Amino acid sequence: MASEHSDTTDGDTGALALKILVAGGFGVGKTTLVGAVSEIKPLRTEELLSEAGQSVDDTGGVDQKVTTTVAMDFGRITIRSGLSLYLFGTPGQDRFWFLWDELAQGALGAVVLADTRRLQDCFPAVDFFEHRHIPFVVAVNCFSGSGAYGTDDVSRALDLDQGTPVVLCDARDRASGKEVLISLVEYAGRMHTARLLDSVS
């Protein structure tokens, strides 16, 4: 859901702020993406992985990971003059999924980060947004050693609805992350416009 506010410094100039979620499996790069693109110091709610979580957190493929998000990440990026995105990174572990409904309220759309070494980990996020009719793009985070898979391969493997964008990215790179967000805003805009036209036809 977009929110508008007036910038009284330069007269009655309107600015648009859009809420975007960044979701995906455990260790896929959500915190990294939000931190890379944010123009403000990102808010992070990371805690050290503990022995208590070893029985419930699957760290296969991300053995070097030592922290995990327990609530959300938050950042902000200005796409162009008058258009800012507020980014909310969701926690990846199953036991924190109850937070997703709260975080999703008012969101224009979502980025679902995917790791082709653990592609099954993003199925819950894909299902979540499809069932709630929230527009999303799948961004394949190109980890070293993950293998070269095309966007069509990923789309088929995830059984995505026709037209759902799949893009390749490097979550560490600001320019790459910004391109992902632009793709989402454009896609979500088309989806919301189509639904509005359907509702009045």
Side-chain angles (χ1 to χ4, degrees):
M1 182 180 195
S3 61
E4 293 189 30
H5 64 274
S6 295
D7 183 350
T8 56
T9 305
D10 297 317
D12 192 20
T13 303
L16 188 64
L18 305 174
K19 181 180 182 181
I20 302 294
L21 297 189
V22 180
F26 178 63
V28 77
K30 300 179 294 295
T31 298
T32 300
L33 177 66
V34 172
V37 302
S38 181
E39 62 198 16
I40 62 172
K41 183 178 180 180
L43 167 67
R44 293 176 173 163
T45 58
E46 289 198 303
E47 296 292 340
L48 290 172
L49 289 171
S50 64
E51 291 184 11
Q54 289 179 355
S55 61
V56 290
D57 294 331
D58 178 10
T59 58
V62 286
D63 305 40
Q64 304 302 313
K65 187 171 176 61
V66 296
T67 62
T68 185
T69 300
V70 296
M72 68 174 185
D73 300 309
F74 174 78
R76 185 190 72 209
I77 178 174
T78 301
I79 296 296
R80 58 171 171 75
S81 178
L83 175 59
S84 296
L85 304 182
Y86 289 87
L87 309 175
F88 293 79
T90 66
Q93 304 99 307
D94 301 13
R95 66 182 187 274
F96 295 125
W97 285 349
F98 68 91
L99 295 170
W100 286 29
D101 279 319
E102 289 292 329
L103 291 174
Q105 289 187 17
L108 174 80
V111 173
V112 175
L113 272 174
D115 177 355
T116 56
R117 300 169 302 177
R118 296 159 52 104
L119 196 58
Q120 70 279 2
D121 289 359
C122 68
F123 274 112
V126 169
D127 289 342
F128 179 90
F129 297 120
E130 283 184 344
H131 290 153
R132 288 160 181 78
H133 305 290
I134 296 174
F136 68 93
V137 302
V138 173
V140 180
N141 195 4
C142 298
F143 288 92
S144 176
S146 61
Y149 294 94
T151 55
D152 289 341
D153 297 326
V154 173
S155 182
R156 284 192 296 270
L158 294 176
D159 193 26
L160 298 176
D161 290 340
Q162 187 174 8
T164 301
V166 178
V167 296
L168 305 179
C169 76
D170 181 344
R172 303 166 298 180
D173 182 75
R174 187 175 194 273
S176 180
K178 186 173 180 180
E179 286 301 314
V180 171
L181 295 171
I182 290 172
S183 296
L184 171 62
V185 171
E186 291 175 344
Y187 175 63
R190 293 194 301 270
M191 292 294 291
H192 285 292
T193 298
R195 289 171 185 171
L196 180 62
L197 291 174
D198 285 343
S199 69
V200 298
S201 61

